[in-house]
Amino acid sequence: MFFDSDLLMSALRALTPILLAALGGAICERAGVFNIGLEGMMLMGCFTAVATSWFTGSPWLGVLAAALAAAAYSLILAVGAVTLRGDAVVLGVAMNLLAVGLTGFLLRTVFGVQGTFDDPSLAGLPLIGGFTPLTYLSWAAVAVAAVLLSRHVWGLRLRGVGEAPDAAATLGVSPVKYKYGAILVSGVLCGLAGAQLALGNVTLFSENMTAGRGWIAVVAVMLGRAAPVGVLLAALLFGLAEAAGFRLQGLGLPQQATDAAPYVVTLGALFLTTARRRRRIRPSGAAS
Amino acid sequence: MLAGVLIGALFLVGTGADPITAYEAVLTGALGADGIGSTLTTTTSVLGMALALAIPLRARLINLGGDGQMVLGGITAAVTGLHSPLPAPLTVVLALLAGMAAGAAYAALAALCENHLGVPLLVSSLLLSYPAVSLASYLARYPLKEPGSSLPQTRAMPDGVELPAFGDSTVTVGLVLVALAAAAYWFTDRRTAVGYEIRMTGLNARFSAYAGVERRGLTLKLMSVSGALAGLVGAIGVLSFPYRFVDGSLTAPGYTWTGLTAALLATAAPIGTVVSAFFFAVLQVGGLAMERTTEVPRELTQVLQAIVIVFLAARLRFPGRWFNRRKEAV
């Protein structure tokens, strides 16, 4: 059987980091900040998680440190884009580049190795029912985010800030505070995503180990229209593609084909949904 | 830029190295007699990619698919070089053109995705890049692999199918081609109507649409030119030492991202792009020299590049955005 419970399990494992990062991206999107620095924040989380777990022997401290470090890193975007009103896209690209360089640099200076740091005594996260606690946390986070965004006053204000900052400011809601909050939350979530990737899915750090997952998360935000449940479904699609890719590799397909699979599937899904959305809009007569 | 250099110095002190010796090592390593050839070779690739990304960036379009376009250009040039029945000099020209065509076609695909399917260019170009890199990697490892070699590479180009080099150096005519491209970009940007339309779109897309610039056509054209340049860089890579397509050799040095950094640093202005591309080539080559003499990891140069951009991005306000904000404030 090709589609069995093993496949679903590995899909859910592959899904967790993307889901966490995409959730952070969705919250930023709702606050009106286009965050494409997810990849870099995740990578900072990966490194911090591994380094802290290695020096303290506790993966939990690793997770905590990863969340804090990525949140601190996200301040670059907050200060640059919100306070200084710089270009969020350029900042995001720069943050991704900086994270690759910085983690590579730290890997060399702290551990004295190049490429991959892999040690049998590095403590990874424990598994409960086949998943790390962070996987369960990511599902809870989806539910919490969904409720907060649609029901709670914070969520309404956040969306208000994203859609009409001037109106929100008139009502006494500070757009700056809410934008900072959203970016910091995305930093924490990306840090957790990085910890899951480096201490959950595997137990090692290698250079540029996020390998485009942060970008997939950005796409998941678009696909899911920045709604938590939509983002969950979009990330699930990617998880399935990655897991199916591994399975196909076991069946003798070359690795290059399976490497490309998640991106092709994501792109295909993006085409289908945007094309459908457009067709629905077009009959009403508004030309782009 | 100055801030980047200062922060870099702090990092150097942090690792226990003397910043002045380290920076000296960067400069002498990259610009000294031993390093200049290597720097110019790197400049060829970095400047090529910087131009490829700068041209659409001038109209505020970001092409993140440089890796895919470059690698497809490289593998197409390799196939053309190996199988063309033409005499060697013509084969070289044909291989360059084929590489450019492959890159252009693939970049145009990303433009079509934005124009007709509504997928933002940023995302479509980036996502398309991964399958292209995987495809080229597959081709170099299986169907096109050099028989009997343990490396993932194609057979070497036939005799004479190579870009002429200057003297004994690794610097080839490729540098001249890229420089010509830069000159053409400068001329188009400054002196032609198309260049004006591109800049106008970059400054204020809405206004230029009112003024009659057809955005979809412009996106397609700019992306094709951008992809063609990326393909050219790939083809030059294959037609220079080691005269074959080696899996990973085009993407591993990060020319695409360095090029993007250079283009962003110069806000895509032609002369600025040339200067910043050269600057980053110096950093990249000098970083290796610094690693040899001071044991400071060369990754530091990558950190420096990104820090420069972070500082710039925070200050950088594209005039288009500025216009919009003015309107909001009124």
Side-chain angles (χ1 to χ4, degrees):
Chain A
M1 264 285 283
F2 188 77
F3 286 101
D4 52 20
S5 60
D6 274 358
L7 186 80
L8 189 65
M9 291 285 278
S10 62
L12 288 176
R13 273 193 288 271
L15 149 84
T16 307
I18 293 157
L19 177 59
L20 284 166
L23 212 52
I27 291 168
C28 278
E29 188 72 31
R30 283 299 177 92
V33 180
F34 185 40
N35 186 348
I36 58 170
L38 300 176
E39 171 106 359
M41 296 185 197
M42 262 169 97
L43 195 58
M44 294 300 285
C46 288
F47 182 82
T48 316
V50 166
T52 312
S53 173
W54 165 252
F55 283 114
T56 63
S58 158
W60 299 112
L61 286 177
V63 171
L64 185 71
L68 290 177
Y73 193 60
S74 73
L75 277 174
I76 296 178
L77 181 66
V79 174
V82 180
T83 307
L84 301 174
R85 295 196 153 199
D87 191 277
V89 172
V90 177
L91 272 168
V93 170
M95 286 172 75
N96 293 338
L97 288 175
L98 181 59
V100 175
L102 205 56
T103 52
F105 175 74
L106 289 171
L107 187 67
R108 292 280 297 276
T109 44
V110 176
F111 294 112
V113 293
Q114 204 169 356
T116 303
F117 175 72
D118 185 6
D119 193 288
S121 59
L122 178 65
L125 288 165
L127 296 181
I128 306 164
F131 300 118
T132 67
L134 285 181
T135 298
Y136 298 107
L137 182 73
S138 71
W139 298 341
V142 171
V144 170
V147 171
L148 280 185
L149 277 177
S150 61
R151 299 257 180 273
H152 196 278
V153 62
W154 289 345
L156 297 177
R157 284 185 188 153
L158 187 80
R159 283 158 51 196
V161 164
E163 279 156 31
D166 296 341
T170 319
L171 294 174
V173 178
S174 159
V176 172
K177 266 188 209 160
Y178 272 83
K179 286 184 181 194
Y180 261 75
I183 293 172
L184 281 174
V185 168
S186 79
V188 168
L189 288 170
C190 286
L192 296 178
Q196 164 70 22
L197 201 58
L199 295 177
N201 290 17
V202 289
T203 313
L204 56 86
F205 178 84
S206 68
E207 261 174 60
N208 204 6
M209 71 185 298
T210 42
R213 284 185 182 80
W215 289 100
I216 295 276
V218 171
V219 177
V221 173
M222 293 179 172
L223 261 180
R225 293 193 221 183
V229 179
V231 165
L232 172 67
L233 293 176
L236 185 62
L237 185 73
F238 176 81
L240 272 173
E242 193 172 296
F246 277 127
R247 178 65 61 88
L248 287 171
Q249 206 174 316
L251 295 175
L253 224 69
Q255 191 204 339
Q256 285 77 26
T258 57
D259 277 352
Y263 302 100
V264 175
V265 169
T266 311
L267 205 55
L270 205 53
F271 291 164
L272 288 178
T273 52
T274 46
R276 237 187 49 208
R277 226 174 279 166
R278 284 193 144 198
R279 213 169 299 139
R280 216 177 293 152
I281 296 167
R282 219 170 263 157
S284 65
S288 61
Chain B
M1 180 99 67
L2 200 65
V5 173
L6 285 178
I7 293 182
L10 285 179
F11 269 103
L12 289 166
V13 172
T15 53
D18 175 13
I20 294 171
T21 333
Y23 281 138
E24 246 177 51
V26 170
L27 288 179
T28 55
L31 300 173
D34 299 335
I36 189 77
S38 171
T39 303
L40 288 177
T41 311
T42 308
T43 305
T44 307
S45 301
V46 172
L47 176 57
M49 291 314 285
L51 288 171
L53 301 164
I55 288 168
L57 193 66
R58 202 65 164 153
R60 290 285 283 144
L61 298 169
I62 300 184
N63 173 13
L64 286 182
D67 267 351
Q69 294 146 18
M70 172 173 60
V71 164
L72 280 186
I75 195 90
T76 310
V79 173
T80 314
L82 287 171
H83 297 287
S84 155
L86 298 172
L90 286 179
T91 299
V92 171
V93 175
L94 187 68
L96 286 174
L97 291 177
M100 289 173 74
Y106 207 59
L109 188 61
L112 291 175
C113 287
E114 165 159 298
N115 286 347
H116 298 288
L117 296 165
V119 179
L121 194 63
L122 190 79
V123 169
S124 62
S125 59
L126 183 88
L127 286 181
L128 279 170
S129 192
Y130 291 97
V133 171
S134 295
L135 174 70
S137 165
Y138 172 76
L139 291 175
R141 278 166 197 273
Y142 300 99
L144 298 174
K145 189 172 174 320
E146 182 178 37
S149 162
S150 59
L151 296 167
Q153 60 186 24
T154 62
R155 279 185 291 132
M157 295 291 124
D159 272 343
V161 179
E162 56 183 54
L163 288 170
F166 294 112
D168 296 334
S169 70
T170 52
V171 185
T172 63
V173 174
L175 183 63
V176 177
L177 293 178
V178 172
L180 284 177
Y185 176 41
W186 177 81
F187 183 79
T188 312
D189 187 66
R190 286 282 135 202
R191 295 270 181 273
T192 64
V194 182
Y196 179 68
E197 283 185 358
I198 295 170
R199 268 185 294 148
M200 191 166 68
T201 305
L203 293 174
N204 192 326
R206 255 207 207 145
F207 173 74
S208 65
Y210 276 122
V213 176
E214 215 258 303
R215 189 177 165 82
R216 287 184 169 193
L218 192 69
T219 306
L220 191 61
K221 274 183 231 154
L222 288 178
M223 282 301 283
S224 304
V225 174
S226 171
L229 274 171
L232 177 68
V233 173
I236 290 174
V238 167
L239 295 169
S240 309
F241 182 78
Y243 312 110
R244 58 179 91 215
F245 183 89
V246 184
D247 184 26
S249 71
L250 290 172
T251 48
Y255 296 134
T256 302
W257 295 105
T258 308
L260 179 65
T261 318
L264 285 173
L265 178 62
T267 53
I271 294 173
T273 303
V274 174
V275 174
S276 59
F278 183 70
F279 170 70
F280 284 130
V282 167
L283 259 186
Q284 204 161 340
V285 175
L288 286 168
M290 177 184 71
E291 182 170 283
R292 281 194 302 273
T293 48
T294 62
E295 293 179 352
V296 175
R298 64 166 175 276
E299 281 85 356
L300 185 68
T301 57
Q302 210 180 347
V303 175
L304 283 185
Q305 274 180 31
I307 288 175
V308 170
I309 294 301
V310 167
F311 274 100
L312 274 164
R315 283 191 319 149
L316 196 74
R317 273 171 229 166
F318 279 91
R321 300 280 295 273
W322 187 74
F323 265 110
N324 294 342
R325 225 170 262 130
R326 277 275 295 252
K327 228 169 20 198
E328 277 165 24
V330 170

